[in-house]
Amino acid sequence: MSVKKISKSQPELFEFTKENLMKAEKEIKKYPHEKKASAVLGLLYLAQSQNDNWIPLAAIKYVAKILSMPYIKVYEVTTFYSMFNLSPVGRYFVQVCTTTPCMIRGAKKLTNVCKKYISRNQGELSANKLCSWVEVECLGACVNATMMQINQDYFEDLDENSTEKIIQKLLKDEFPQPGSAKNRKNNSPEKGKTTLLEVKDA
Ligand code: FES
């Protein structure tokens, strides 16, 4: 189960950079004026990218003000979606799926590797501050379980050894090759595809 921690250390102020403000205005214009609150996910995503992948409370207030929404409503959105972090995460943010298909394929072994090499508790930075990890609900790649997401990339068909190699690379500030640890293409059978053989790139 993912734990959403709120950072104890919070910047007092937040505002978009000029460039992000322009992006935010563009996002808001996608919706009718009276429905501008619909841009909340886009604006929170921008705020998070601007702030090293986590959203301070000041940014939640700032987004609420721009969208004329009550602060608590925007706060609820940030706590609902696991894609939003409310405390600092490492440069390499590891999200391990522990929902049923991944769990029965051994997700616990992956979280144990994270506990051993990154931090004892999820949501904490590694000793060198490069990495952090959390458990998350299904990331939609169940057919290639077990899997984890690191920043924007998926790592699939993992076991204890492959996970260990990936985490050790991250801790050395190197980004490993994403995709299947068994070199499966997409989610084809392990021994190669058996149907649609005549279709190129199927
Ligand atoms: S259960 Fe892990 S990706 Fe769906």
Side-chain angles (χ1 to χ4, degrees):
M1 197 50 197
S2 174
V3 178
K4 191 84 83 164
K5 287 191 178 170
I6 314 285
S7 177
K8 287 188 184 130
S9 149
Q10 293 280 338
E12 286 192 9
L13 290 174
F14 177 92
E15 56 182 21
F16 280 139
T17 59
K18 213 169 159 188
E19 193 190 352
N20 279 344
L21 191 56
M22 278 162 60
K23 285 185 188 168
E25 281 162 2
K26 206 169 155 194
E27 186 68 22
I28 293 168
K29 280 194 189 133
K30 288 180 184 168
Y31 305 96
H33 181 70
E34 67 282 10
K35 301 279 184 207
K36 65 179 178 178
S38 300
V40 67
L41 288 177
L43 266 59
L44 286 171
Y45 187 75
L46 266 181
Q48 178 162 277
S49 344
Q50 185 180 306
N51 193 61
D52 293 333
N53 208 16
W54 73 283
I55 304 180
L57 298 178
I60 299 178
K61 287 184 188 150
Y62 179 76
V63 168
K65 196 168 168 201
I66 292 184
L67 297 177
S68 312
M69 289 173 73
Y71 165 65
I72 189 65
K73 291 255 179 216
V74 184
Y75 183 82
E76 281 168 0
V77 173
T78 59
T79 53
F80 180 79
Y81 290 101
S82 64
M83 66 189 281
F84 296 127
N85 306 309
L86 297 181
S87 58
V89 295
R91 180 181 309 162
Y92 305 111
F93 182 45
V94 179
Q95 300 177 69
V96 184
C97 172
T98 54
T99 302
T100 315
C102 282
M103 183 51 81
I104 58 181
R105 294 273 293 164
K108 194 150 181 39
K109 289 185 185 157
L110 274 57
T111 55
N112 284 341
V113 171
C114 292
K115 283 181 192 171
K116 183 171 173 189
Y117 293 102
I118 301 178
S119 59
R120 193 177 171 78
N121 301 308
Q122 56 177 314
E124 292 175 359
L125 292 170
S126 58
N128 65 2
K129 304 214 184 309
L130 280 178
C131 266
S132 61
W133 72 279
V134 287
E135 286 184 33
V136 291
E137 303 300 329
C138 179
L139 288 168
C142 329
V143 75
N144 290 355
T146 55
M147 62 80 62
M148 58 193 188
Q149 179 178 349
I150 304 174
N151 297 348
Q152 305 299 326
D153 288 296
Y154 275 18
F155 294 74
E156 302 163 339
D157 293 324
L158 299 171
D159 60 13
E160 205 169 352
N161 284 342
S162 46
T163 307
E164 212 170 293
K165 282 184 192 148
I166 289 169
I167 302 294
Q168 284 181 344
K169 272 204 160 190
L170 297 177
L171 290 169
K172 284 191 226 151
D173 204 4
E174 293 168 20
F175 198 76
Q177 177 68 32
S180 165
K182 293 179 181 165
N183 292 323
R184 274 208 283 170
K185 187 177 177 208
N186 303 328
N187 50 18
S188 63
E190 286 186 29
K191 291 186 179 151
K193 64 180 185 174
T194 54
T195 56
L196 299 174
L197 298 173
E198 67 289 357
V199 183
K200 198 173 167 260
D201 294 330

